[in-house]
Amino acid sequence: MNLNKIYTDLLLTIGFLENEIQQNWKNLEKAYSKKSRHYHNLTHLEEMIASFEIYSDRLQNPNEILFSIFYHDFVYSASKKDNELKSAEYALVVLGEKSSINKPLVFDAICATQLHAHNTNEDINWLIDFDLKILAKDWEDYKIYFEQIRKEYRIYPDFLYKPGRAKALKHFLEYEFIFQTDEFRVLYEDKARLNIEKEISLLT
């Protein structure tokens, strides 16, 4: 997957000039390529965009959701609680006065990836599901995922990390559904719950 081309095509479509696009891309690539990013990196974007490309015809505002995918983890620090808000704010700075995109939707969509709760906007529900699809991977791939997350939180010792991670995972299980769209519930809900339960058992 050529992320640079997908990004460039999107920004040309919504009104950016070629010369400013490449600087924006360099900034984005640099952010997602930091050594501290073991999961929230360019590979995560590729996986989300692969899902986006399958379901883009179901979206009312595909450009806004694709832009939100690129920027939803732009700001990421394991020790901070406002990554999504900061990422959303940065996305609006990048957009500037570009008029052919719904900026409030971009802001709300990125912020929604913090809690992954059901949204009144169906496009945002699709974005949430793209973000959480990793939870339904085959166990070996899921294991790689949670090991990558542990590396991102390596500043915390096990006695802090394990109960914190278990609490976050249990929060997903408390939802009536993990996934917000009917399609993803049918395809992935059961697998995701099994993976989460299995990881919790390893943490406790």
Side-chain angles (χ1 to χ4, degrees), residues 79-123:
S79 63
K80 300 291 177 62
K81 302 287 189 184
D82 61 352
N83 292 320
E84 292 80 10
L85 174 61
K86 295 295 186 185
S87 295
E89 290 172 346
Y90 183 83
L92 295 194
V93 171
V94 172
L95 285 171
E97 298 303 313
K98 307 302 176 191
S99 59
S100 65
I101 195 166
N102 183 336
K103 289 186 280 292
L105 175 56
V106 168
F107 185 87
D108 290 346
I110 293 175
C111 288
T113 63
Q114 179 177 20
L115 298 178
H116 297 104
H118 191 75
N119 198 282
T120 55
N121 185 300
E122 193 63 13
D123 280 0

Side-chain angles (χ1 to χ4, degrees), residues 33-93:
S33 300
K34 290 178 180 176
K35 289 183 179 179
S36 60
R37 295 193 181 225
H38 300 274
Y39 173 72
H40 294 91
N41 52 29
L42 294 172
T43 300
H44 175 50
L45 294 189
E46 288 178 355
E47 293 194 347
M48 286 186 68
I49 291 170
S51 292
F52 167 85
E53 289 178 343
I54 294 171
Y55 296 101
S56 60
D57 62 339
R58 305 291 299 277
L59 301 171
Q60 297 295 316
N61 300 279
N63 289 339
E64 283 79 356
I65 297 305
L66 182 55
F67 191 87
S68 298
I69 290 173
F70 275 113
Y71 282 96
H72 80 288
D73 285 325
F74 184 87
V75 176
Y76 184 78
S77 171
S79 63
K80 300 291 177 62
K81 302 287 189 184
D82 61 352
N83 292 320
E84 292 80 10
L85 174 61
K86 295 295 186 185
S87 295
E89 290 172 346
Y90 183 83
L92 295 194
V93 171

Side-chain angles (χ1 to χ4, degrees), residues 11 35 125 131:
L11 266 63
K35 289 183 179 179
N125 289 329
D131 196 24

Side-chain angles (χ1 to χ4, degrees), residues 20-32:
E20 58 186 345
I21 292 174
Q22 286 315 304
Q23 185 56 55
N24 284 329
W25 167 254
K26 287 177 183 176
N27 294 339
L28 186 139
E29 186 177 39
K30 181 180 178 181
Y32 282 91

Side-chain angles (χ1 to χ4, degrees), residues 165-184:
R165 173 72 175 171
K167 181 179 179 181
L169 291 171
K170 288 174 182 174
H171 186 66
F172 279 120
L173 297 181
E174 288 167 1
Y175 284 136
E176 182 180 2
F177 295 106
I178 293 170
F179 294 103
Q180 306 307 318
T181 64
D182 290 338
E183 284 82 355
F184 272 55

Side-chain angles (χ1 to χ4, degrees), residues 126-184:
W126 282 105
L127 174 67
I128 290 169
D129 283 2
F130 299 158
D131 196 24
L132 294 184
K133 187 183 174 187
I134 184 68
L135 298 177
K137 289 274 192 174
D138 290 339
W139 175 252
E140 288 306 312
D141 290 329
Y142 180 85
K143 188 168 178 284
I144 291 170
Y145 150 70
F146 71 66
E147 288 170 349
Q148 291 170 335
I149 295 294
R150 179 65 183 104
K151 289 177 182 177
E152 291 186 341
Y153 282 82
R154 64 190 178 280
I155 60 171
Y156 298 105
D158 279 351
F159 78 88
L160 290 176
Y161 176 78
K162 286 186 174 183
R165 173 72 175 171
K167 181 179 179 181
L169 291 171
K170 288 174 182 174
H171 186 66
F172 279 120
L173 297 181
E174 288 167 1
Y175 284 136
E176 182 180 2
F177 295 106
I178 293 170
F179 294 103
Q180 306 307 318
T181 64
D182 290 338
E183 284 82 355
F184 272 55

